[in-house]
Amino acid sequence: MKLHIAALSLVAAFATPAFAQTDDAYAPARAIVADIGKIVTPNGVQETFEVMLGGARQMVNVRGSDRDNPILIFVHGGPGAVEMPFAWAFQRPWEDIFTVVQYDQRGAGRSYMLNDPAALAPTMTPERYRDDAIELIELLKKRYGKRKVVLLGHSWGSIVGLSVAVKRPDLLYAYVGVGQGIDFREGEKTGMAWTRAKALAAGNKETVAAIDALAPYPQGEFTIAKADGWRKYAIPYGSLMYAKPDLNLYFQTPRLSPEYSEADRKAWGKGSEFSVTTLWPRLADVSFTKVKKMDVPLVFLLGRHDYTVPSPVAARWFGQVEAPSKKLVWLEHSAHMPMVEEPGHFFAALLRDVLPLTKDPK
């Protein structure tokens, strides 16, 4: 399988030993994790089910200690970088204050096996993913009897999430942006310049030359190969995970996921490559720079060292946009994965800055 190194796609996960297993050696440990994480409260919810969104079958996982809590929907990154198999490692505290929803987007993760890729490919546009998310919100509101939800978008998912917030603010208590993308070409330009500067300071002439050779990208042809061409050098400098640029331990997390079998993990690799290869060229001109006013509260949780989807670009836009309320939280010891890098501070921000926004006026 061809491996993409781009932090957005996260397909590098499938180069780790976890995905070379021919037998499911981790099943006993996974059963322990499942038992520890089981929701046992009287009014709790723990279920995984299939839905039809925009004509595509997609898998949804819902967990929470009290179904009366507000719903928080996590829109994963990538394209194709599902969060469901990682969530067991950081999400459990969230489930005490929210009913947390993970879903594998069309063409990704467990949803990849549910649809014919050839038929799905033409539908894979930013607008369709946005409308899938809107359909999911409306479905979950009916299923759990809720008026609104909190939408959290991470990385590529932040493009989907912010698009939902622009089109249907009436559905949301708040929009939470993590690893927030604002303008794809500007983000690529900023990330490449940061990586080049790091390499130049380290005296790494080969890396500088390799990045220069990608020109005129990010102008012109917009391919995942070009995006990978600089990110593979950025990751060791901490653009994805600040304090732990060696990603092997992180990518072993799905081995113990109760939601993902060995077969699911293999399908995830295929779906991730399919998603990012199909969708990336269609993202070149996605930009929110012309959006000057939002009609929903905004909370951005940004890693100070994120140059996978450069946080300075998101911070500049955040500083200019108008909204009913705004809160920018910097995670000072994080890059692109603050929910994993600083799980305590991340949860504190959800508790302090997001949960109060879900209180309906009396």
Side-chain angles (χ1 to χ4, degrees), residues 55-309:
R57 298 161 63 194
Q58 300 175 47
M59 293 301 299
V60 179
N61 175 258
V62 183
R63 293 177 50 89
S65 61
D66 187 345
R67 64 179 60 234
D68 291 334
N69 284 338
I71 290 174
L72 183 150
I73 303 173
F74 194 116
V75 188
H76 70 71
V82 293
E83 205 67 37
M84 197 184 298
F86 292 93
W88 71 269
F90 64 83
Q91 182 180 288
R92 189 64 186 90
W94 305 9
E95 296 164 8
D96 287 333
I97 59 173
F98 293 105
T99 296
V100 185
V101 178
Q102 295 278 353
Y103 75 104
D104 288 0
Q105 298 163 15
R106 62 174 56 219
R110 291 175 64 179
S111 299
Y112 174 74
M113 298 181 289
L114 301 178
N115 305 276
D116 174 18
L120 205 62
T123 75
M124 295 171 67
T125 66
E127 294 79 14
R128 182 62 261 170
Y129 283 86
R130 175 200 64 197
D131 292 344
D132 281 358
I134 290 172
E135 286 188 34
L136 179 62
I137 292 169
E138 292 177 329
L139 182 153
L140 293 169
K141 285 173 55 184
K142 292 178 181 177
R143 187 180 182 101
Y144 298 107
K146 300 298 181 181
R147 190 171 73 85
K148 294 185 180 183
V149 306
V150 173
L151 195 64
L152 186 156
H154 175 243
S155 194
W156 145 251
S158 73
I159 300 299
V160 178
L162 192 55
S163 296
V164 172
V166 169
K167 185 175 182 180
R168 292 296 306 277
D170 57 297
L171 296 175
L172 308 180
Y173 284 120
Y175 170 69
V176 182
V178 183
Q180 179 68 51
I182 296 298
D183 182 285
F184 262 87
R185 290 195 192 272
E186 181 62 25
E188 294 294 282
K189 179 181 176 182
T190 302
M192 289 174 69
W194 177 87
T195 307
R196 188 184 189 281
K198 287 286 188 181
L200 192 63
N204 194 330
K205 296 180 180 179
E206 293 81 5
T207 296
V208 172
I211 293 173
D212 289 345
L214 296 172
Y217 185 83
Q219 300 305 313
E221 186 181 18
F222 206 78
T223 67
I224 190 60
K226 295 280 189 177
D228 287 345
W230 69 269
R231 279 189 177 80
K232 66 183 178 182
Y233 300 111
I235 290 173
Y237 290 124
S239 68
L240 180 62
M241 297 186 76
Y242 172 58
K244 296 180 179 179
D246 182 346
L247 305 181
N248 285 335
L249 288 177
Y250 171 70
F251 284 126
Q252 292 171 6
T253 307
R255 294 177 177 182
L256 302 185
S257 171
E259 311 303 336
Y260 262 59
S261 67
E262 181 185 15
D264 293 331
R265 297 197 301 274
K266 290 179 179 178
W268 170 30
K270 295 177 182 178
S272 189
E273 181 175 13
F274 166 67
S275 294
V276 76
T277 303
T278 303
L279 194 52
W280 190 265
R282 302 171 184 176
L283 304 179
D285 297 315
V286 171
S287 176
F288 294 92
T289 55
K290 294 182 179 180
V291 176
K292 306 298 183 182
K293 185 177 186 296
M294 298 289 296
D295 294 320
V296 64
L298 299 177
V299 179
F300 276 15
L301 307 181
L302 302 181
R304 180 68 74 178
H305 308 277
D306 186 357
Y307 282 89
T308 293
V309 179

Side-chain angles (χ1 to χ4, degrees), residues 297-336:
L298 299 177
V299 179
F300 276 15
L301 307 181
L302 302 181
R304 180 68 74 178
H305 308 277
D306 186 357
Y307 282 89
T308 293
V309 179
S311 54
V313 178
R316 285 197 296 271
W317 180 86
F318 190 88
Q320 298 169 4
V321 71
E322 296 181 18
S325 68
K326 299 194 303 181
K327 178 70 174 184
L328 172 56
V329 179
W330 286 105
L331 284 301
E332 298 291 346
H333 303 284
S334 293
H336 192 57

